[in-house]
Amino acid sequence: MIIDFNKNKMENNRSLNFIWRICLIAMFLLVGTGYSFAQNTDSKVANEDKSEARVTGLRYICVHVLELEKSLKLYREILGFKMSDAEVLHGPGVEGMLVMKLKTDDLTIGLSLTAPEYLHTIGPIGNTNHNHFMLKVNDIVTIGDKLKAEGYELENENYARDKYTFFVGPNGEIIGLSAWD
């Protein structure tokens, strides 16, 4: 089966704009939380009270791939990421999805290429076919409960057991929370 991605150039451009917005949001989050690539044990973050529920870092960024060749050229040849892992997923809604993990220093980006029969499911929260970033948290129950109290809809109501969930931020950004070790 051949997929012609050039049919919807405007949609592709909107997708690329969304990807850049997510990257910018992630960058602002890192800067806004005082994250530094050269932190030491004397930093303010290291001395804060560990009992407060909060974000502790960026787990990964996931970009849904619409044009594989262009995406690989950008991330590998131009930006210098190296392929660290790739796997084909199996299960409801993700059957046949190819996930490639690209790394550079201490950053991992996941590129996901959906199997052709699931392309129509791209975008909505509640499946893995969307651009998102995943934040590490130290207490997902407290943070999840606070989000629900503020009116945010959580994709995974079993976040306490599963240690992850997704929600849509006030700007339309899809944010994941993970308490995985």
Side-chain angles (χ1 to χ4, degrees):
M1 172 185 233
I2 297 175
I3 300 171
D4 183 9
F5 289 108
N6 291 326
K7 283 183 181 177
N8 299 318
K9 278 202 173 219
M10 286 183 65
E11 285 183 31
N12 288 349
N13 287 338
R14 274 189 239 130
S15 296
L16 288 174
N17 286 338
F18 181 74
I19 291 167
W20 285 114
R21 279 188 263 153
I22 291 297
C23 290
L24 286 172
I25 290 168
M27 186 173 62
F28 285 122
L29 284 172
L30 291 173
V31 171
T33 58
Y35 185 83
S36 169
F37 289 103
Q39 285 185 0
N40 61 38
T41 56
D42 296 329
S43 71
K44 179 182 174 190
V45 174
N47 292 327
E48 287 181 2
D49 180 11
K50 301 285 188 213
S51 63
E52 181 183 340
R54 62 186 175 83
V55 170
T56 60
L58 178 66
R59 184 158 305 279
Y60 65 81
I61 297 170
C62 182
V63 177
H64 183 78
V65 174
L66 297 175
E67 295 188 42
L68 181 59
E69 293 82 16
K70 283 185 175 182
S71 297
L72 289 176
K73 182 172 184 163
L74 170 66
Y75 287 99
R76 293 177 71 196
E77 295 177 26
I78 297 171
L79 299 177
F81 283 82
K82 304 288 184 217
M83 183 83 66
S84 68
D85 189 21
E87 71 174 307
V88 176
L89 303 181
H90 302 284
V94 296
E95 187 64 38
M97 177 185 286
L98 171 63
V99 177
M100 298 164 282
K101 291 183 182 172
L102 303 171
K103 289 187 153 210
T104 182
D105 297 332
D106 62 348
L107 177 62
T108 299
I109 292 180
L111 299 180
S112 66
L113 182 63
T114 302
E117 59 266 26
Y118 292 104
L119 283 174
H120 67 284
T121 67
I122 296 170
I125 195 164
N127 67 41
T128 58
N129 301 338
H130 55 261
N131 296 308
H132 65 276
F133 57 94
M134 182 69 78
L135 300 171
K136 292 189 287 189
V137 296
N138 64 352
D139 183 351
I140 196 162
V141 174
T142 300
I143 294 172
D145 292 348
K146 285 181 183 179
L147 287 167
K148 286 173 64 173
E150 287 294 319
Y152 287 97
E153 184 178 330
L154 302 182
E155 174 267 338
N156 179 9
E157 286 294 323
N158 295 314
Y159 56 90
R161 180 194 70 206
D162 298 339
K163 298 184 179 183
Y164 83 92
T165 193
F166 293 96
F167 67 99
V168 178
N171 306 297
E173 68 274 27
I174 299 176
I175 302 169
L177 301 176
S178 166
W180 299 320
D181 293 327

